[in-house]
Amino acid sequence: MPSPGSSRDLPAAVLAGLGTCLPTTEIDNAALVSRLDTTDEWIRTRTGIAARRQATPETSMRDLACQAGANALRSAGLETVGGVVLATTTPDRPCPAAAPEVAHRLGLGQVPAFDISAVCSGFVYAAAVAASLITSGVVDSVLVVASEIYSRIINPMDRGTAVIFGDGAGAVVLRRGTAAEQGALLAFDLGGDGSGHDLIHVPGELEQPGDPRWFSMAGRRVYLRAVEQMALSTSRVLKDCGWDPETVGALVPHQANGRIIQAVAERLGIPPQNAVCEIARVGNTSAASIPLALATSLATGRPAPGARTVLSAFGGGLSWGSVALTWPQLQAVHSEF
Ligand code: COA
């Protein structure tokens, strides 16, 4: 039993529900090979991806966000929460933020709701902000949603990006609890480096007047920075918790590329079989990739509730971040749209 006043009694945000939503249309590698100068073998061996999902033109990022959010609330057994934080790189419109409408459509009332723009690190940033709102006493619970429709910003003829990215959404409910509970978020690390702002970007009107504004990525340079920063960031939260890398039961990294995931685990000395890689069927879904990977992993029943877990992400900005938590005991709810 923890002694009174020990760190295990400290207030913490606890992961209490998880929901996901994927578009029904699957684009396999064969469909891309027919229009791009690429091969199924190149895509599988260089990225680990076999297929990705694509939203219909009628589907909005908010539609996916609402479905994932409703599923997370059902998973948590809650009908209401104290706020909504939504991470996306692909807003349906520049203004206003999507989160207030998502809160409204979910029947959550007049709760605080806002968006976060941190590209592939969006979910980790949103979870850290939501956890701060909870532990500082502003609200008791937050719905954290990550929703992306990259097919709206990817050039379908760019083999460097079209093979990697997919559409999807994931959401978690965080509620106020203690550090001793399964699913408690225990340590955070966030960082950024604007000197790399153009390594991942969508050009704006002022940069390329009149040109199509497609997502652009310096793949190889991003790859190297992603491995470096996710490993460093993960090691910082491990240090904060006093956890040896070999004792980590689940590393759930941003699902950027299967090789990046293995390289991060190797660099840290985390058992490679404990690095969760669920990229094969959904590709890189940017901010949504961590909750989607968490859900797939939860369905397998491994690791056991309470296991030492780290979520780690890297993305445009540049931005990165990690969260250490214990593996939650819950059932994810999934739907397709
Ligand atoms: N099919 C076939 N060849 C391809 C290709 C494709 N789909 N995409 C790129 N290539 C080619 C390149 O043109 C290059 O050819 P060249 O040597 O003749 O110039 C060659 O493959 C190697 O390119 P490179 O970019 O060095 O390959 P890579 O091993 O780094 O893999 C990525 C490319 C994009 C898969 C990899 O860099 C990556 O995953 N980067 C990070 C992506 C990411 O995480 N993005 C999200 C933000 S965190």
Side-chain angles (χ1 to χ4, degrees):
M1 287 289 286
S3 58
S6 79
S7 61
R8 291 169 59 82
D9 299 321
L10 286 175
V14 176
L15 207 167
L18 177 60
T20 56
C21 176
L22 287 168
T24 48
T25 305
E26 187 176 271
I27 309 288
D28 64 11
N29 289 348
L32 297 179
V33 168
S34 66
R35 73 160 189 262
L36 294 170
D37 180 17
T38 190
T39 62
D40 175 54
E41 205 233 332
W42 192 97
I43 302 170
R44 283 178 195 265
T45 54
R46 305 306 287 172
T47 70
I49 300 168
R52 68 288 296 147
R53 300 297 179 96
Q54 187 173 315
T56 62
E58 298 75 34
T59 304
S60 70
M61 181 281 289
R62 288 162 290 164
D63 292 334
L64 297 184
C66 285
Q67 286 276 329
N71 291 342
L73 290 167
R74 201 170 316 138
S75 163
L78 292 175
E79 286 187 356
T80 187
V81 285
V84 177
V85 182
L86 186 150
T88 189
T89 320
T90 55
D92 299 315
R93 49 193 180 176
C95 172
E101 184 186 327
V102 170
H104 170 70
R105 284 169 60 178
L106 293 175
L108 299 177
Q110 298 180 349
V111 296
F114 57 95
D115 291 1
I116 281 189
S117 176
V119 198
C120 298
S121 310
F123 176 76
V124 166
Y125 265 70
V129 169
S132 312
L133 290 172
I134 291 169
T135 53
S136 61
V138 176
V139 292
D140 285 337
S141 57
V142 177
L143 178 66
V144 177
V145 189
S147 181
E148 303 280 21
I149 303 192
Y150 261 65
S151 55
R152 302 267 153 83
I153 59 170
I154 293 289
N155 178 351
M157 299 314 291
D158 176 9
R159 68 177 182 173
T161 54
V163 302
I164 295 175
F165 290 91
D167 302 339
V172 297
V173 171
L174 299 181
R175 63 152 175 84
R176 194 174 164 84
T178 70
E181 292 180 67
Q182 288 167 351
L185 277 54
L186 302 171
F188 302 89
D189 176 69
L190 299 177
D193 176 10
S195 73
H197 66 92
D198 54 356
L199 295 184
I200 297 170
H201 76 301
V202 178
E205 284 288 6
L206 295 177
E207 287 171 83
Q208 295 190 344
D211 280 2
R213 284 180 278 157
W214 297 121
F215 178 90
S216 135
M217 177 175 73
R220 193 71 206 159
R221 289 171 69 195
V222 169
Y223 184 102
L224 298 172
R225 288 296 299 270
V227 174
E228 181 191 7
Q229 293 300 349
M230 281 203 279
L232 278 171
S233 180
T234 299
S235 65
R236 284 190 206 106
V237 293
L238 290 179
K239 192 169 168 220
D240 282 353
C241 291
W243 294 350
D244 287 331
E246 314 85 66
T247 67
V248 171
L251 171 67
V252 190
H254 164 47
Q255 307 283 299
N257 179 320
R259 289 185 298 139
I260 292 179
I261 293 170
Q262 281 309 311
V264 172
E266 251 170 52
R267 194 174 280 209
L268 288 162
I270 291 174
Q273 67 277 15
N274 295 351
V276 173
C277 183
E278 300 292 353
I279 197 172
R281 304 305 309 173
V282 295
N284 177 343
T285 55
S286 191
S289 85
I290 287 181
L292 281 165
L294 264 175
T296 313
S297 202
L298 269 165
T300 68
R302 287 184 46 236
R308 293 175 172 181
T309 301
V310 179
L311 318 179
S312 187
F314 176 88
L318 299 171
S319 61
W320 56 84
S322 300
V323 182
L325 69 155
T326 50
W327 193 255
Q329 179 151 41
L330 51 84
Q331 279 202 311
V333 178
H334 176 69
S335 62
E336 303 213 336
F337 192 87

